Amino acid sequence: MSIDRIFEAMANDTDRTSVVPISLFVAVLCLCIVAAHLLKESRWVNESITAIVIGCITGTVILLLSKGSSSHILQFDEELFFIYLLPPIIFNAGFQVKKKQFFQNFLTIMLFGAAGVFISSIIISVGSYWLFPKVGFNGLDLRDYLALGVIFSSTDTVCTLQVLHQDETPRLYSLVFGEGVVNDATAVVIFNAIQKLDVSKIHGWTAVYFFGDFLYLFSTSTVLGIATGLLTAYVLKALYFGRHSTDREISLMILMAYLSYMMAELLQLSGILTVFFCGIVMSHYAWHNVTENSRISTRHIFATLSFIAETFIFLYVGMDALDIEKWKMTKTRLSTILGINCIIIFLVLLGRAVFVFPLSILSNFLSSNVEAAPVTFKHQVIIWWAGLMRGAVSIALAFNQFTFSGVTMDPVHATMVTSTVAVVLFTTMVFGMLTKPLVRNVIPRHARAHDTNLSKEKDITLPLLPIDDAGASSFQQAKRSLTMLLERPAHTIHAYWRKFDDTYMRPVFGGPT
């Protein structure tokens, strides 16, 4: 056989070894979609749980066929998650969000999503540092404990959002959804900051520097996302792509959104925050500059990409639970592993409760009674429960911290990876199954209808702010504006923003007429 034929045969073998796993994984993804559709009306099961169960079944079959050597079709890589799977999920979240509800509840969302992550991370880190040795588990350093706090503070609100509806419970949906996005972004920013932290030189000013870095990353990432969205809107408005091809409009929006994420990662910023705010700006300006066909297509395309990415992630989590290599590498006793998992779940429950209920009281105190209804105790229970599930971000951060390209030879690190997978499975399966019954019992259908009517009535009866009053003196206008700002801060700021938006922004960048 000639050298050329040998290389050709080797190339064919390589192609086949990569094509076969991808084909199998796509087939299983199709099975997940069909099964989720058939079980959509189930009281206990949702799409996330369906994907995990099918992943476990698929992993078991592969494990038996491979005689115990592997349970994977594809090998997990955290870069695959952060570069290809996470951007469409976050961008679609920003693109589809109801902006009015999101920004009216922005203070509460930031309290839950940003301050809450700090509080929960501290509780989980300190609790793990104190309780792990009591069950006979040692070997983690200070950086590992700090990372653990962030890993298990990252929430996954998919299960709850599949039950709640924007039209039925607009404010509750906005709070749960907004906290989930800000929570993920904050968790990733804090995790990256911990990786750069010199734990051997921690002093009194370390917390101040750490918080300053967080504010810098948060603000610059947000500005980058807004700038990219505005640039896309201006190009679409000025060049009118739809005159020639709607495909170019859609392609430009998709590529610019992805470019904003990659630029943030290149500049070591938060790509999650950047692509989220890029999605908000594009939906407010760029989406109105494209043709009607492009508007319909973009919403379906972004939602489809997000749905496939979420299903992919949960399917892999189910298969990874049976990764025999990690379980073999774990030298820890079964009783110790069970103790670790119980400690983590307890700390997740505790850390969540410690900030949700007090911060809800603080939010109700800071919010005007005239402006918005308070976050009731029933809503607080739903918000607390919504953040108990752990998902793909926790898995990705754990792999990043305790493995190298998905592989670890350290028994202690292998134990933490398997424990993370076990906690994700338990919280998603158990807590996720109880989400539908909980929401239906805590917030009955008639109560949800009342919330919807109240929200609509409030929007209709809200008086217009007298910003422009030519007959009043400048002092009277300033006094009136200050009074309205104190009584209805969110609505006053929103009114001034609409005036600025209509006068300066929309003529340049486009938007609804």
Side-chain angles (χ1 to χ4, degrees):
M1 182 180 293
S2 64
I3 298 296
D4 294 338
R5 290 188 176 182
I6 292 176
F7 280 113
E8 183 179 354
M10 292 174 62
N12 291 335
D13 291 339
T14 303
D15 292 340
R16 181 169 298 181
T17 55
S18 61
V19 169
V20 172
I22 294 175
S23 301
L24 288 174
F25 204 94
V26 171
V28 178
L29 276 174
C30 294
L31 178 61
C32 287
I33 295 173
V34 173
H37 174 72
L38 296 175
L39 298 173
K40 187 172 181 61
E41 300 301 325
S42 173
R43 183 180 180 184
W44 304 99
V45 179
N46 54 46
E47 294 170 350
S48 304
I49 296 175
T50 302
I52 289 178
V53 171
I54 292 178
C56 291
I57 296 173
T58 305
T60 303
V61 173
I62 296 174
L63 197 63
L64 294 175
L65 293 177
S66 64
K67 298 180 181 179
S69 62
S70 176
S71 65
H72 291 129
I73 299 176
L74 298 174
Q75 186 65 36
F76 180 85
D77 186 356
E78 59 268 17
E79 290 187 2
L80 170 69
F81 172 77
F82 282 109
I83 295 180
Y84 299 108
L85 297 179
L86 191 59
I89 297 175
I90 302 301
F91 176 78
N92 182 66
F95 195 80
Q96 304 286 356
V97 68
K98 288 190 174 181
K99 297 178 287 296
K100 184 176 181 180
Q101 282 287 337
F102 179 82
F103 285 105
Q104 281 183 349
N105 298 301
F106 190 73
L107 174 62
T108 308
I109 288 172
M110 291 304 298
L111 284 175
F112 289 152
V117 173
F118 279 99
I119 297 172
S120 178
S121 298
I122 292 172
I123 291 175
I124 295 176
S125 296
V126 174
S128 301
Y129 182 81
W130 179 49
L131 294 175
F132 277 5
K134 296 184 181 299
V135 295
F137 184 71
N138 298 283
L140 297 177
D141 57 26
L142 181 58
R143 191 190 305 276
D144 292 333
Y145 281 113
L146 292 175
L148 274 181
V150 180
I151 289 170
F152 291 109
S153 294
S154 174
T155 64
D156 181 33
T157 57
V158 173
C159 292
T160 307
L161 291 177
Q162 289 173 356
V163 180
L164 297 175
H165 300 283
Q166 292 194 67
D167 297 329
E168 292 183 352
T169 54
R171 191 180 188 211
L172 180 60
Y173 185 95
S174 177
L175 291 176
V176 173
F177 167 80
E179 188 217 343
V181 175
V182 177
N183 175 286
D184 287 344
T186 305
V188 174
V189 170
I190 296 176
F191 183 85
N192 292 335
I194 290 174
Q195 304 307 308
K196 303 174 185 177
L197 185 65
D198 187 357
V199 294
S200 63
K201 298 180 180 179
I202 294 180
H203 48 79
W205 289 97
T206 301
V208 177
Y209 295 146
F210 187 87
F211 188 68
D213 290 340
F214 169 78
L215 291 179
Y216 167 77
L217 291 173
F218 196 97
S219 58
T220 51
S221 301
T222 301
V223 169
L224 178 60
I226 294 174
T228 307
L230 291 176
L231 176 62
T232 307
Y234 180 77
V235 171
L236 288 172
K237 181 178 174 61
L239 300 182
Y240 187 41
F241 275 57
R243 179 171 47 196
H244 301 289
S245 172
T246 58
D247 297 338
R248 291 172 184 157
E249 292 179 324
I250 299 173
S251 301
L252 183 67
M253 293 179 69
I254 293 175
L255 292 176
M256 287 297 289
Y258 190 70
L259 179 63
S260 71
Y261 183 88
M262 296 308 298
M263 287 177 60
E265 294 298 315
L266 183 64
L267 297 173
Q268 296 183 338
L269 303 175
S270 172
I272 294 179
L273 272 177
T274 298
V275 78
F276 175 69
F277 280 98
C278 180
I280 291 179
V281 174
M282 279 193 184
S283 69
H284 188 65
Y285 295 110
W287 188 75
H288 298 277
N289 296 336
V290 299
T291 60
E292 186 65 27
N293 290 334
S294 296
R295 295 179 189 178
I296 298 173
S297 300
T298 48
R299 288 202 177 275
H300 288 293
I301 289 173
F302 296 148
T304 300
L305 293 174
S306 175
F307 174 74
I308 293 174
E310 288 180 357
T311 307
F312 184 104
I313 292 168
F314 283 107
L315 180 61
Y316 190 90
V317 168
M319 288 190 297
D320 196 68
L322 300 171
D323 187 356
I324 197 68
E325 295 179 359
K326 293 187 181 66
W327 288 105
K328 285 181 178 179
M329 185 59 61
T330 301
K331 309 293 185 182
T332 311
R333 294 179 303 175
L334 180 60
S335 59
T336 303
I337 293 177
L338 291 175
I340 293 172
N341 294 339
C342 290
I343 289 172
I344 293 174
I345 294 172
F346 167 75
L347 292 175
V348 167
L349 292 166
L350 177 64
R352 186 85 186 151
V354 164
F355 78 81
V356 167
F357 297 103
L359 291 183
S360 297
I361 297 173
L362 178 61
S363 173
N364 291 336
F365 176 77
L366 295 176
S367 300
S368 171
N369 292 330
V370 180
E371 177 186 352
V375 182
T376 65
F377 180 74
K378 290 183 177 181
H379 286 177
Q380 294 174 29
V381 172
I382 298 298
I383 294 170
W384 169 72
W385 185 270
L388 293 178
M389 276 74 77
R390 297 295 174 263
V393 175
S394 296
I395 293 287
L397 294 181
F399 270 81
N400 191 303
Q401 179 68 24
F402 298 110
T403 71
F404 181 77
S405 296
V407 179
T408 180
M409 304 303 292
D410 188 340
V412 175
H413 289 176
T415 300
M416 293 316 306
V417 173
T418 54
S419 295
T420 303
V421 174
V423 170
V424 169
L425 280 175
F426 180 85
T427 56
T428 304
M429 296 287 290
V430 178
F431 297 155
M433 284 183 178
L434 297 175
T435 297
K436 281 186 180 181
L438 177 71
V439 172
R440 289 175 179 174
N441 290 328
V442 173
I443 308 178
R445 181 173 294 274
H446 63 85
R448 282 176 269 172
H450 174 71
D451 290 344
T452 305
N453 295 332
L454 186 64
S455 177
K456 291 181 179 179
E457 180 182 353
K458 176 183 158 187
D459 288 340
I460 295 173
T461 59
L462 181 68
L464 294 176
L465 298 179
I467 298 174
D468 294 321
D469 191 349
S473 65
S474 58
F475 174 77
Q476 289 174 330
Q477 291 183 28
K479 181 180 178 181
R480 186 176 300 169
S481 299
L482 180 60
T483 302
M484 296 301 297
L485 179 63
L486 294 176
E487 291 180 355
R488 293 193 179 106
H491 290 297
T492 307
I493 295 172
H494 180 260
Y496 277 105
W497 160 249
R498 286 297 300 269
K499 177 178 172 60
F500 176 79
D501 192 30
D502 293 338
T503 306
Y504 300 103
M505 299 296 289
R506 291 183 181 180
V508 177
F509 300 104
T513 56

